[in-house]
Amino acid sequence: MQTETTRTPSGIFVLGEMRNGHIHSVTLELTGKGRELAAARGCTVTTVLLGGEFKDDPADPIRYGADRILAVNHPSLEHFDQEIIAKVTAHLIETEKPEIVLAPATTAGRTYLPAVAALVNTGLTADCTGLDIDPETGLLLQTRPAIGGNVMATIKTPNHRPQMSTVRPRTFRIPDPEDRTGEVLHPAVPERLFASRIRNDGMEYLEEQGANIQDLDVVISGGKGLKRPESFRLLQELADLLEGGVGASRPTVEAKWIPYPHQVGLSGKVVAPKLYMAVGISGAVQHLAGMQTAQTIVAVNKDPEAPIFRVADVALCGDLFDIVPRLIERIKKEKRS
Ligand SMILES: Cc1cc2nc3c(=O)[nH]c(=O)nc-3n(C[C@H](O)[C@H](O)[C@H](O)COP(=O)(O)OP(=O)(O)OC[C@H]3O[C@@H](n4cnc5c(N)ncnc54)[C@H](O)[C@@H]3O)c2cc1C
């Protein structure tokens, strides 16, 4: 059998996401990760942008690691149509033959990528939390939680091409932009691929209430240790002082102490703020999957053995009802002076 090390590397595709004509940040996160993998594999990174009218410069991802951009503009790509985007993406994959395809595990990505995988006859590893190149075989190592999130599994795709993975937004950091050169190409796509059996009766974008915790530099999250829903007010006060927002563990959401958009973790959001504070959260692997890329992690827990302390940069061991009010008072005092 031919191994990846003897095969000529054929490049990495990053499928970008366009929203209302703008390049979504997950595109840059995946382009940066693609660059790292390409360095290990000795190949190029191509970022694919499919949309109607582009309001951002399609060359933008070059500064974040792309060597080439494949940009396809067509009125039928203005709004998300699963059938069209899947057919056009499959066409580009079949023409360019990348060995790896990275794509966002957003609502759109989750909807059309299984169809792409079926069209090009390969597998798809969804919601990866880690990606690497096996130095022995050159294969893509696709790591993701499995069996209800209780183990981390590393999946390989040895027999089919491309190796396709989706990754949730904020799983990887956007790298610092660099002064790089690359080319923007507009490949020809057969007009028949823009036909769809789906009738679009209109599109409505729902605004989330309050700021999205994924966009904030400071997230203060609470867990079951808060004991009652009212305790979230304490965290909100701290978050307001630090110009941040409030996150939560799953059991607090299930208990209806706080709405679902605040949930951090495997079945919630992935956040990567400058400061993440876990208050009364034990640090289960499913929670860590949503916050471990934060720059600084502060944990408040009364149990010195709590797993959250293993990932924390600052460990505050004690009663949160004592520690958090003292922190609030201290910050207020600092602000006054
Ligand atoms: C498929 C699957 C998906 C999941 N997805 C998610 C997810 O997205 N997000 C998520 O969070 N969980 C998720 N979970 C649940 C996860 O396994 C844990 O059950 C959950 O994270 C625990 O929440 P917790 O830390 O708030 O509660 P607990 O585990 O009960 O921890 C409470 C902590 O508070 C501390 N504490 C108690 N009182 C105080 C006090 N007065 N002062 C200081 N500390 C105190 C305790 O020492 C303890 O460590 C998922 C589980 C599965 C199976």
Side-chain angles (χ1 to χ4, degrees):
M1 195 183 78
Q2 196 184 27
T3 66
E4 288 302 308
T5 32
T6 56
R7 234 191 267 253
T8 311
S10 64
I12 297 175
F13 254 28
V14 171
L15 303 181
E17 181 151 324
M18 302 295 296
R19 290 203 192 158
N20 282 329
H22 295 288
I23 299 172
H24 188 267
S25 53
V26 69
T27 309
L28 308 180
E29 294 163 18
L30 293 185
T31 299
K33 189 66 191 178
R35 179 81 259 138
E36 274 176 47
L37 299 174
R41 186 76 186 112
C43 66
T44 56
V45 178
T46 301
T47 299
V48 178
L49 300 175
L50 309 180
E53 195 191 331
F54 286 179
K55 294 177 188 152
D56 290 336
D57 182 355
D60 271 356
I62 292 173
R63 297 189 299 137
Y64 298 90
D67 300 297
R68 293 192 315 163
I69 307 294
L70 293 186
V72 179
N73 301 90
H74 194 281
S76 306
L77 293 167
E78 186 69 45
H79 294 298
F80 179 72
D81 180 308
Q82 175 189 350
E83 195 177 359
I84 296 175
I85 196 167
K87 283 192 296 183
V88 173
T89 306
H91 169 78
L92 294 174
I93 290 173
E94 276 163 356
T95 317
E96 297 280 328
K97 306 211 178 329
E99 62 184 32
I100 292 173
V101 174
L102 308 181
T106 51
T107 308
R110 286 188 171 138
T111 309
Y112 81 92
L113 282 154
V116 174
L119 285 169
V120 301
N121 193 29
T122 191
L124 176 66
T125 309
D127 290 359
C128 292
T129 53
L131 293 169
D132 227 324
I133 298 289
D134 184 346
E136 299 275 301
T137 60
L139 287 169
L140 179 66
L141 302 175
Q142 308 161 91
T143 302
R144 55 152 296 153
I147 319 181
N150 291 316
V151 295
M152 297 302 277
T154 297
I155 295 160
K156 296 178 193 169
T157 313
N159 300 324
H160 290 76
R161 288 292 165 273
Q163 304 159 87
M164 273 180 59
S165 319
T166 66
V167 178
R168 291 198 293 166
R170 300 288 173 139
T171 301
F172 302 123
R173 287 214 188 102
I174 299 179
D176 292 333
E178 284 177 20
D179 205 7
R180 304 178 71 254
T181 51
E183 49 182 351
V184 178
L185 303 169
H186 297 276
V189 175
E191 191 57 33
R192 65 184 157 75
L193 299 184
F194 296 102
S196 174
R197 290 165 298 171
I198 298 169
R199 196 184 71 202
N200 185 347
D201 285 340
M203 208 74 160
E204 194 182 333
Y205 290 93
L206 296 177
E207 295 294 331
E208 280 190 39
Q209 285 190 338
N212 181 348
I213 52 169
Q214 288 179 306
D215 300 329
L216 299 174
D217 283 342
V218 176
V219 177
I220 313 288
S221 286
K224 279 300 254 193
L226 290 178
K227 306 274 193 300
R228 59 195 82 86
E230 295 74 31
S231 311
F232 269 106
R233 286 195 211 129
L234 199 60
L235 300 196
Q236 187 66 59
E237 190 178 353
L238 183 55
D240 288 345
L241 283 169
L242 298 172
E243 292 169 22
V246 171
S249 70
R250 179 159 115 169
T252 63
V253 172
E254 282 174 340
K256 302 209 182 327
W257 294 2
I258 188 161
Y260 175 72
H262 295 268
Q263 185 179 320
V264 173
L266 186 63
S267 47
K269 285 178 177 164
V270 179
V271 295
K274 289 188 179 145
L275 171 66
Y276 185 85
M277 206 163 150
V279 182
I281 292 179
S282 56
V285 61
Q286 297 88 355
H287 188 82
L288 301 186
M291 43 63 76
Q292 56 196 355
T293 52
Q295 276 175 36
T296 303
I297 299 171
V298 177
V300 182
N301 201 301
K302 67 177 184 186
D303 174 7
E305 301 296 323
I308 192 74
F309 286 141
R310 288 188 217 132
V311 298
D313 300 290
V314 179
L316 300 176
C317 191
D319 188 336
L320 70 92
F321 296 103
D322 171 36
I323 293 173
V324 177
R326 278 166 53 197
L327 270 176
I328 290 173
E329 274 321 304
R330 181 72 188 267
I331 294 167
K332 280 184 179 165
K333 203 171 150 199
E334 293 282 327
K335 288 202 164 200
R336 279 196 296 268
S337 60

